Coordinates of all heavy atoms in Angstrom, one line a residue:
M25 N 194.5 -16.3 32.2 CA 195.2 -17.0 31.0 C 194.3 -18.1 30.5 O 193.9 -18.9 31.3 CB 196.5 -17.5 31.6 CG 197.6 -16.3 31.7 SD 198.1 -15.6 30.3 CE 199.4 -14.5 30.9
Q26 N 194.2 -18.1 29.2 CA 193.3 -19.2 28.6 C 194.2 -20.2 27.9 O 194.2 -20.3 26.6 CB 192.4 -18.5 27.6 CG 191.4 -17.5 28.3 CD 190.0 -18.1 28.3 OE1 189.5 -18.5 27.2 NE2 189.3 -18.0 29.3
Y27 N 194.9 -21.0 28.7 CA 195.8 -22.0 28.0 C 195.1 -23.4 28.0 O 195.6 -24.4 27.6 CB 197.0 -22.1 28.9 CG 198.0 -21.0 28.7 CD1 198.3 -20.2 29.7 CD2 198.5 -20.7 27.4 CE1 199.2 -19.1 29.5 CE2 199.4 -19.6 27.2 CZ 199.6 -18.9 28.2 OH 200.5 -17.7 28.1
Q28 N 193.8 -23.4 28.5 CA 193.1 -24.7 28.5 C 192.3 -24.9 27.3 O 191.8 -23.9 26.7 CB 192.2 -24.7 29.8 CG 193.1 -24.9 31.1 CD 192.4 -24.4 32.3 OE1 191.7 -23.3 32.3 NE2 192.4 -25.2 33.3
Y29 N 192.0 -26.1 27.0 CA 191.0 -26.5 25.9 C 189.6 -26.3 26.4 O 189.3 -26.6 27.7 CB 191.2 -27.9 25.5 CG 192.4 -28.2 24.6 CD1 193.7 -28.1 25.1 CD2 192.3 -28.5 23.3 CE1 194.8 -28.2 24.3 CE2 193.5 -28.7 22.5 CZ 194.7 -28.5 23.0 OH 195.7 -28.7 22.2
H30 N 188.7 -25.7 25.6 CA 187.4 -25.5 26.0 C 186.4 -26.2 24.9 O 186.7 -26.2 23.8 CB 187.1 -24.0 26.1 CG 187.6 -23.4 27.3 ND1 188.9 -23.0 27.5 CD2 186.9 -23.1 28.5 CE1 189.1 -22.4 28.7 NE2 188.0 -22.4 29.3
C31 N 185.3 -26.6 25.6 CA 184.3 -27.2 24.6 C 183.5 -26.0 24.0 O 183.3 -25.0 24.6 CB 183.3 -28.0 25.5 SG 181.9 -28.5 24.6
A32 N 183.3 -26.1 22.8 CA 182.7 -25.1 21.9 C 181.2 -25.0 22.2 O 180.5 -24.1 21.9 CB 183.0 -25.3 20.4
C33 N 180.7 -26.1 22.8 CA 179.2 -26.2 23.0 C 178.8 -25.8 24.4 O 178.0 -24.9 24.5 CB 178.8 -27.6 22.8 SG 178.9 -28.1 21.1
C34 N 179.5 -26.3 25.4 CA 179.0 -26.0 26.8 C 180.1 -25.1 27.5 O 179.9 -24.7 28.7 CB 178.8 -27.2 27.5 SG 180.3 -28.3 27.8
E35 N 181.2 -24.7 26.9 CA 182.2 -23.7 27.4 C 182.9 -24.2 28.5 O 183.5 -23.5 29.3 CB 181.5 -22.3 27.6 CG 181.0 -21.7 26.4 CD 182.1 -21.1 25.5 OE1 183.3 -20.8 26.0 OE2 182.0 -21.1 24.3
K36 N 182.9 -25.6 28.8 CA 183.6 -26.1 30.0 C 185.0 -26.5 29.6 O 185.3 -26.8 28.5 CB 182.8 -27.4 30.5 CG 181.6 -26.9 31.4 CD 180.8 -28.0 31.8 CE 179.6 -27.5 32.7 NZ 178.5 -28.6 32.9
V37 N 185.8 -26.5 30.7 CA 187.2 -26.8 30.4 C 187.4 -28.3 30.1 O 186.8 -29.1 30.8 CB 188.1 -26.4 31.7 CG1 189.5 -26.9 31.5 CG2 188.0 -24.9 31.9
V38 N 188.1 -28.6 29.0 CA 188.3 -30.0 28.6 C 189.8 -30.4 28.6 O 190.6 -29.5 28.3 CB 187.7 -30.2 27.1 CG1 187.9 -31.6 26.8 CG2 186.3 -29.8 27.1
D39 N 190.1 -31.6 29.1 CA 191.5 -32.0 29.1 C 192.0 -32.0 27.7 O 191.3 -32.4 26.7 CB 191.6 -33.4 29.8 CG 193.0 -33.6 30.3 OD1 193.3 -33.2 31.4 OD2 193.8 -34.2 29.6
S40 N 193.3 -31.6 27.5 CA 193.8 -31.6 26.2 C 194.0 -33.0 25.5 O 194.0 -33.1 24.3 CB 195.3 -30.9 26.2 OG 196.1 -31.7 27.1
T41 N 193.9 -34.1 26.3 CA 194.0 -35.4 25.7 C 192.6 -35.9 25.3 O 192.5 -36.9 24.6 CB 194.5 -36.3 26.7 OG1 193.8 -36.3 28.0 CG2 196.1 -36.1 27.0
E42 N 191.6 -35.2 25.7 CA 190.2 -35.7 25.4 C 189.9 -35.3 23.9 O 190.2 -34.2 23.5 CB 189.1 -34.9 26.3 CG 189.3 -35.3 27.8 CD 188.6 -36.6 28.0 OE1 187.9 -37.2 27.3 OE2 188.9 -37.1 29.2
K43 N 189.2 -36.3 23.2 CA 188.9 -36.0 21.8 C 187.5 -35.4 21.8 O 187.0 -34.8 20.7 CB 189.0 -37.3 21.0 CG 190.4 -37.6 20.7 CD 191.1 -36.8 19.8 CE 192.6 -37.1 19.7 NZ 193.5 -36.0 19.1
S44 N 186.7 -35.7 22.8 CA 185.3 -35.2 22.9 C 185.0 -34.6 24.3 O 185.7 -35.0 25.2 CB 184.2 -36.3 22.5 OG 184.4 -37.4 23.4
C45 N 184.0 -33.8 24.4 CA 183.7 -33.2 25.7 C 183.1 -34.2 26.6 O 182.1 -34.8 26.2 CB 182.8 -32.1 25.4 SG 182.2 -31.2 26.8
P46 N 183.6 -34.4 27.8 CA 183.0 -35.4 28.8 C 181.8 -34.9 29.4 O 181.0 -35.6 30.0 CB 184.1 -35.4 29.9 CG 184.9 -34.2 29.8 CD 184.7 -33.7 28.4
H47 N 181.3 -33.5 29.2 CA 180.2 -33.1 29.8 C 178.9 -33.2 28.8 O 177.9 -33.5 29.2 CB 180.4 -31.5 30.1 CG 181.5 -31.3 31.0 ND1 181.5 -31.5 32.3 CD2 182.7 -30.9 30.8 CE1 182.6 -31.2 32.8 NE2 183.4 -30.9 31.9
C48 N 179.2 -32.9 27.5 CA 178.1 -33.0 26.6 C 178.3 -33.9 25.3 O 177.5 -34.1 24.6 CB 177.7 -31.5 26.1 SG 179.0 -30.7 25.0
G49 N 179.6 -34.5 25.2 CA 179.9 -35.4 24.1 C 180.2 -34.7 22.8 O 180.4 -35.4 21.9
S50 N 180.4 -33.3 22.9 CA 180.6 -32.7 21.6 C 182.1 -32.9 21.2 O 183.0 -33.0 22.1 CB 180.4 -31.2 21.8 OG 180.9 -30.5 20.7
H51 N 182.3 -32.9 19.9 CA 183.6 -33.0 19.4 C 184.3 -31.7 19.0 O 185.4 -31.7 18.5 CB 183.6 -34.1 18.1 CG 183.4 -35.4 18.5 ND1 184.5 -36.3 18.7 CD2 182.2 -36.1 18.6 CE1 184.0 -37.5 19.1 NE2 182.5 -37.4 19.0
H52 N 183.6 -30.7 19.4 CA 184.0 -29.4 19.0 C 184.9 -28.8 20.2 O 184.4 -28.1 21.1 CB 183.0 -28.3 18.7 CG 182.4 -28.6 17.4 ND1 182.9 -28.1 16.2 CD2 181.3 -29.3 17.0 CE1 182.2 -28.5 15.2 NE2 181.3 -29.3 15.7
I53 N 186.2 -29.3 20.3 CA 187.0 -28.8 21.3 C 187.9 -27.6 20.8 O 188.6 -27.7 19.8 CB 188.0 -30.0 21.8 CG1 187.3 -31.3 22.1 CG2 188.9 -29.5 23.0 CD1 186.2 -31.1 23.2
R54 N 187.7 -26.5 21.5 CA 188.5 -25.2 21.1 C 190.0 -25.3 21.6 O 190.2 -25.4 22.8 CB 187.7 -24.0 21.6 CG 187.3 -23.2 20.5 CD 186.7 -21.9 21.0 NE 185.3 -21.9 21.2 CZ 184.7 -21.2 22.1 NH1 185.4 -20.4 22.8 NH2 183.4 -21.3 22.3
S55 N 190.8 -25.2 20.6 CA 192.3 -25.2 21.0 C 192.7 -23.8 21.6 O 192.2 -22.8 21.1 CB 193.1 -25.4 19.8 OG 194.5 -25.1 20.1
P56 N 193.5 -23.8 22.6 CA 193.9 -22.5 23.2 C 195.0 -21.8 22.3 O 195.4 -20.8 22.6 CB 194.5 -22.9 24.5 CG 195.0 -24.3 24.4 CD 194.0 -24.9 23.4
F57 N 195.5 -22.6 21.3 CA 196.6 -22.1 20.5 C 196.1 -21.3 19.3 O 196.9 -20.7 18.6 CB 197.5 -23.3 20.0 CG 198.0 -24.1 21.2 CD1 197.7 -25.3 21.4 CD2 199.0 -23.4 22.1 CE1 198.2 -26.0 22.5 CE2 199.5 -24.1 23.1 CZ 199.0 -25.4 23.4
G58 N 194.8 -21.4 19.0 CA 194.3 -20.7 17.8 C 194.5 -19.2 18.0 O 194.9 -18.6 16.9
F59 N 194.4 -18.6 19.2 CA 194.7 -17.2 19.4 C 196.2 -16.9 19.1 O 196.5 -15.8 18.5 CB 194.4 -16.9 20.8 CG 194.7 -15.5 21.2 CD1 194.0 -14.4 20.7 CD2 195.7 -15.2 22.2 CE1 194.4 -13.1 21.2 CE2 196.1 -14.0 22.5 CZ 195.4 -12.9 22.0
W60 N 197.1 -17.7 19.5 CA 198.5 -17.5 19.4 C 198.9 -17.6 17.9 O 199.8 -16.8 17.5 CB 199.3 -18.5 20.2 CG 199.1 -18.3 21.7 CD1 198.3 -18.9 22.6 CD2 199.5 -17.1 22.5 NE1 198.3 -18.4 23.8 CE2 198.9 -17.2 23.7 CE3 200.1 -15.9 22.2 CZ2 199.1 -16.2 24.8 CZ3 200.3 -14.9 23.1 CH2 199.8 -15.1 24.4
I61 N 198.3 -18.6 17.2 CA 198.6 -18.8 15.7 C 198.1 -17.5 15.1 O 198.9 -16.9 14.2 CB 197.9 -20.0 15.2 CG1 198.7 -21.3 15.8 CG2 197.9 -20.1 13.8 CD1 197.8 -22.6 15.7
F62 N 197.0 -16.9 15.4 CA 196.4 -15.7 14.9 C 197.4 -14.6 15.1 O 197.7 -13.8 14.2 CB 195.1 -15.4 15.5 CG 194.6 -14.0 15.0 CD1 194.0 -13.9 13.7 CD2 194.6 -13.0 15.9 CE1 193.6 -12.6 13.4 CE2 194.1 -11.7 15.6 CZ 193.6 -11.6 14.3
C63 N 197.9 -14.6 16.3 CA 198.9 -13.5 16.7 C 200.2 -13.5 15.9 O 200.7 -12.5 15.4 CB 199.3 -13.6 18.1 SG 198.2 -12.6 19.2
L64 N 200.7 -14.7 15.7 CA 201.8 -15.1 14.9 C 201.7 -14.6 13.4 O 202.6 -14.0 12.9 CB 202.3 -16.5 15.1 CG 203.2 -16.9 16.2 CD1 203.2 -18.3 16.3 CD2 204.5 -16.3 16.3
V65 N 200.5 -15.0 12.9 CA 200.2 -14.6 11.5 C 200.1 -13.2 11.3 O 200.6 -12.6 10.3 CB 199.0 -15.5 11.1 CG1 198.4 -14.9 9.7 CG2 199.2 -16.9 11.0
A66 N 199.4 -12.6 12.3 CA 199.3 -11.1 12.2 C 200.6 -10.4 12.2 O 200.9 -9.4 11.5 CB 198.5 -10.6 13.4
C67 N 201.6 -10.9 13.1 CA 202.9 -10.4 13.2 C 203.7 -10.6 11.9 O 204.3 -9.6 11.5 CB 203.7 -11.1 14.4 SG 203.4 -10.3 16.0
L68 N 203.6 -11.7 11.4 CA 204.3 -12.0 10.2 C 203.8 -11.1 9.0 O 204.6 -10.6 8.2 CB 204.0 -13.5 9.8 CG 205.1 -14.1 8.9 CD1 206.3 -14.5 9.8 CD2 204.6 -15.4 8.3
V69 N 202.5 -11.0 8.9 CA 201.9 -10.1 7.9 C 202.4 -8.6 8.0 O 202.7 -7.9 7.1 CB 200.3 -10.2 7.9 CG1 199.7 -9.2 7.0 CG2 199.9 -11.6 7.4
T70 N 202.3 -8.1 9.3 CA 202.8 -6.8 9.7 C 204.3 -6.6 9.2 O 204.6 -5.6 8.5 CB 202.6 -6.5 11.1 OG1 201.3 -6.9 11.5 CG2 202.8 -5.1 11.4
T71 N 205.1 -7.6 9.5 CA 206.5 -7.5 9.2 C 206.7 -7.5 7.6 O 207.5 -6.7 7.1 CB 207.3 -8.8 9.8 OG1 206.9 -8.9 11.1 CG2 208.8 -8.7 9.7
L72 N 205.9 -8.4 6.9 CA 206.0 -8.4 5.5 C 205.6 -7.1 4.9 O 206.3 -6.6 4.0 CB 205.2 -9.6 5.0 CG 205.8 -10.9 5.2 CD1 204.8 -11.9 4.8 CD2 207.1 -11.2 4.2
V73 N 204.5 -6.5 5.4 CA 204.0 -5.2 4.9 C 205.1 -4.2 5.1 O 205.3 -3.3 4.3 CB 202.7 -4.9 5.6 CG1 202.3 -3.4 5.3 CG2 201.5 -5.7 5.0
F74 N 205.7 -4.1 6.3 CA 206.7 -3.1 6.6 C 207.9 -3.3 5.7 O 208.5 -2.4 5.2 CB 207.2 -3.2 8.1 CG 206.3 -2.3 9.0 CD1 205.4 -2.8 9.8 CD2 206.8 -1.0 9.1 CE1 204.7 -2.0 10.7 CE2 206.0 -0.1 9.9 CZ 205.0 -0.6 10.7
K75 N 208.3 -4.5 5.4 CA 209.4 -4.8 4.5 C 209.1 -4.4 3.2 O 209.9 -3.7 2.5 CB 209.7 -6.3 4.6 CG 210.5 -6.8 5.6 CD 212.0 -7.0 5.3 CE 212.8 -7.5 6.4 NZ 214.3 -7.4 6.1
A76 N 207.9 -4.6 2.6 CA 207.5 -4.3 1.3 C 207.5 -2.7 1.2 O 208.0 -2.2 0.2 CB 206.1 -4.8 1.0
V77 N 207.0 -2.1 2.3 CA 207.0 -0.5 2.2 C 208.4 -0.1 2.2 O 208.7 0.9 1.5 CB 206.1 0.0 3.4 CG1 206.3 1.4 3.6 CG2 204.5 -0.4 3.2
H78 N 209.1 -0.6 3.0 CA 210.6 -0.1 3.1 C 211.3 -0.3 1.8 O 212.0 0.6 1.3 CB 211.3 -1.0 4.2 CG 212.7 -0.5 4.6 ND1 213.8 -1.3 4.4 CD2 213.0 0.8 5.0 CE1 214.8 -0.5 4.8 NE2 214.5 0.7 5.2
V79 N 211.1 -1.5 1.1 CA 211.7 -1.8 -0.1 C 211.3 -0.8 -1.2 O 212.0 -0.3 -2.1 CB 211.5 -3.2 -0.6 CG1 211.8 -3.5 -2.1 CG2 212.4 -4.2 0.3
Y80 N 209.8 -0.5 -1.1 CA 209.2 0.4 -2.1 C 209.8 1.8 -1.9 O 210.2 2.5 -2.9 CB 207.6 0.4 -1.8 CG 207.0 1.4 -2.7 CD1 206.6 1.1 -4.1 CD2 206.4 2.6 -2.1 CE1 206.0 2.0 -4.8 CE2 205.7 3.5 -2.9 CZ 205.6 3.2 -4.3 OH 204.9 4.1 -5.0
I81 N 210.0 2.3 -0.7 CA 210.4 3.6 -0.4 C 211.9 3.7 -0.9 O 212.4 4.6 -1.6 CB 210.5 3.9 1.1 CG1 208.9 4.2 1.5 CG2 211.3 5.1 1.5 CD1 208.6 4.2 3.0
Q82 N 212.8 2.6 -0.7 CA 214.2 2.6 -1.1 C 214.2 2.6 -2.6 O 215.0 3.4 -3.2 CB 214.8 1.3 -0.6 CG 215.4 1.5 0.7 CD 216.2 0.3 1.1 OE1 216.1 -0.8 0.6 NE2 217.2 0.5 2.0
S83 N 213.3 1.9 -3.4 CA 213.4 2.0 -4.8 C 213.0 3.3 -5.3 O 213.4 3.8 -6.4 CB 212.4 0.8 -5.4 OG 211.0 1.2 -5.0
Q84 N 212.0 4.0 -4.6 CA 211.6 5.3 -5.0 C 212.7 6.3 -4.7 O 212.9 7.2 -5.5 CB 210.4 5.7 -4.1 CG 209.1 5.1 -4.4 CD 208.6 5.4 -5.8 OE1 208.7 4.6 -6.8 NE2 208.0 6.5 -6.0
Q85 N 213.5 6.1 -3.7 CA 214.7 7.1 -3.5 C 215.9 6.8 -4.4 O 216.7 7.7 -4.4 CB 215.0 6.9 -1.9 CG 214.0 7.5 -1.0 CD 214.5 7.3 0.5 OE1 215.1 6.4 0.7 NE2 213.9 8.0 1.3
E86 N 215.9 5.7 -5.0 CA 217.1 5.4 -5.9 C 217.1 6.3 -7.0 O 218.1 6.7 -7.6 CB 217.1 3.9 -6.4 CG 218.0 3.0 -5.5 CD 217.8 1.6 -5.7 OE1 217.7 1.2 -6.8 OE2 217.9 0.9 -4.7
K87 N 216.0 6.6 -7.6 CA 215.8 7.5 -8.8 C 216.5 8.9 -8.6 O 217.3 9.3 -9.3 CB 214.4 7.6 -9.3 CG 213.9 6.4 -10.0 CD 212.4 6.3 -10.1 CE 211.9 4.9 -10.5 NZ 210.5 4.8 -10.4
P88 N 216.1 9.6 -7.6 CA 216.8 11.0 -7.3 C 218.3 10.7 -7.0 O 219.0 11.6 -7.3 CB 216.0 11.6 -6.2 CG 215.1 10.5 -5.7 CD 215.0 9.5 -6.7
A89 N 218.6 9.6 -6.4 CA 220.0 9.3 -6.0 C 220.9 9.2 -7.3 O 222.0 9.7 -7.2 CB 220.1 8.0 -5.3
H90 N 220.4 8.6 -8.4 CA 221.2 8.6 -9.6 C 221.3 10.0 -10.1 O 222.5 10.3 -10.7 CB 220.4 7.7 -10.6 CG 220.6 6.3 -10.4 ND1 221.8 5.7 -10.5 CD2 219.6 5.3 -10.1 CE1 221.6 4.3 -10.2 NE2 220.3 4.2 -10.0
L91 N 220.3 10.8 -10.0 CA 220.4 12.1 -10.5 C 221.5 13.0 -9.7 O 222.3 13.6 -10.2 CB 219.1 12.9 -10.4 CG 218.0 12.6 -11.4 CD1 216.7 13.1 -11.1 CD2 218.4 13.0 -12.8
S92 N 221.5 12.8 -8.4 CA 222.4 13.4 -7.5 C 223.9 12.9 -7.9 O 224.8 13.8 -7.8 CB 222.1 13.2 -6.1 OG 222.4 11.8 -5.7
I93 N 224.0 11.7 -8.2 CA 225.4 11.2 -8.6 C 225.8 12.0 -9.9 O 227.0 12.3 -10.0 CB 225.4 9.7 -8.8 CG1 225.3 9.0 -7.4 CG2 226.6 9.1 -9.5 CD1 224.8 7.6 -7.4
L94 N 224.9 12.1 -10.8 CA 225.2 12.8 -12.0 C 225.5 14.2 -11.8 O 226.4 14.8 -12.4 CB 224.0 12.8 -13.0 CG 223.9 11.4 -13.8 CD1 222.5 11.4 -14.5 CD2 225.0 11.2 -14.8
D95 N 224.8 14.8 -10.8 CA 225.1 16.2 -10.5 C 226.5 16.3 -9.9 O 227.2 17.2 -10.2 CB 224.1 16.6 -9.3 CG 222.7 16.9 -10.0 OD1 222.6 17.0 -11.3 OD2 221.7 16.9 -9.3
V96 N 226.9 15.3 -9.0 CA 228.2 15.3 -8.3 C 229.2 15.2 -9.5 O 230.2 15.9 -9.5 CB 228.3 14.2 -7.3 CG1 229.7 14.0 -6.9 CG2 227.5 14.4 -6.1
L97 N 229.0 14.3 -10.5 CA 230.0 14.2 -11.5 C 230.1 15.4 -12.3 O 231.3 15.9 -12.7 CB 229.6 13.1 -12.5 CG 229.8 11.6 -11.9 CD1 229.0 10.6 -12.8 CD2 231.3 11.3 -11.7
Q98 N 229.0 16.1 -12.6 CA 229.1 17.4 -13.3 C 229.8 18.5 -12.6 O 230.5 19.3 -13.1 CB 227.6 17.9 -13.7 CG 227.1 17.2 -14.8 CD 225.6 17.5 -15.0 OE1 225.0 18.0 -14.1 NE2 225.1 17.2 -16.2
E99 N 229.6 18.4 -11.2 CA 230.3 19.4 -10.3 C 231.9 19.1 -10.4 O 232.6 20.1 -10.5 CB 229.8 19.3 -8.9 CG 228.4 19.8 -8.7 CD 228.4 21.4 -8.8 OE1 229.4 22.0 -8.3 OE2 227.5 21.9 -9.5
E100 N 232.2 17.8 -10.4 CA 233.5 17.4 -10.5 C 234.2 17.9 -11.8 O 235.3 18.4 -11.9 CB 233.7 15.9 -10.4 CG 233.4 15.4 -9.0 CD 234.5 15.7 -8.0 OE1 235.7 15.7 -8.3 OE2 234.1 16.2 -6.8
N101 N 233.4 17.8 -12.9 CA 233.9 18.2 -14.2 C 234.1 19.8 -14.2 O 235.2 20.2 -14.8 CB 232.9 17.8 -15.3 CG 233.0 16.3 -15.5 OD1 234.0 15.8 -15.4 ND2 231.9 15.8 -16.2
K102 N 233.3 20.4 -13.6 CA 233.4 22.0 -13.5 C 234.7 22.3 -12.8 O 235.4 23.3 -13.2 CB 232.2 22.5 -12.7 CG 231.0 22.7 -13.8 CD 229.9 23.2 -13.0 CE 228.5 23.0 -13.7 NZ 227.4 23.4 -12.9
R103 N 235.0 21.6 -11.7 CA 236.1 21.8 -10.9 C 237.5 21.7 -11.8 O 238.4 22.4 -11.6 CB 236.2 21.0 -9.7 CG 235.9 21.7 -8.5 CD 236.0 20.9 -7.2 NE 234.6 20.7 -6.7 CZ 234.4 19.9 -5.7 NH1 235.4 19.0 -5.2 NH2 233.2 19.8 -5.1
F104 N 237.5 20.6 -12.7 CA 238.7 20.3 -13.5 C 238.9 21.3 -14.6 O 239.8 21.2 -15.2 CB 238.6 18.9 -13.9 CG 239.0 17.9 -12.8 CD1 238.1 17.0 -12.3 CD2 240.3 17.8 -12.3 CE1 238.4 16.1 -11.3 CE2 240.6 17.0 -11.3 CZ 239.6 16.0 -10.8
R105 N 237.9 22.0 -14.9 CA 238.0 22.9 -16.1 C 238.9 24.1 -15.8 O 238.8 24.7 -14.7 CB 236.6 23.4 -16.5 CG 236.1 22.4 -17.7 CD 234.7 22.7 -18.1 NE 233.9 21.6 -18.5 CZ 232.6 21.5 -18.5 NH1 231.9 22.5 -18.2 NH2 232.0 20.4 -18.9
Ligands
LIG21 ZN1 180.6 -29.7 26.0

């Protein structure tokens, strides 16, 4: 599990309260949450794409649905004749 902050220069574990690496003095501290933020964004994008595809499919299915309603009404008219 990579829940620790790491130095981007020497790859050593750095305390989360440290602003710079105590080993090499670098300010490039890699956050362990970058990966999780990426995961969340990826999940969100996937959900949005699925929603968009679902709405698109529903809008495509509405056109024949109107025709079928007309068909049903025509069938009803035939029955009353
Ligand atoms: Zn370092």
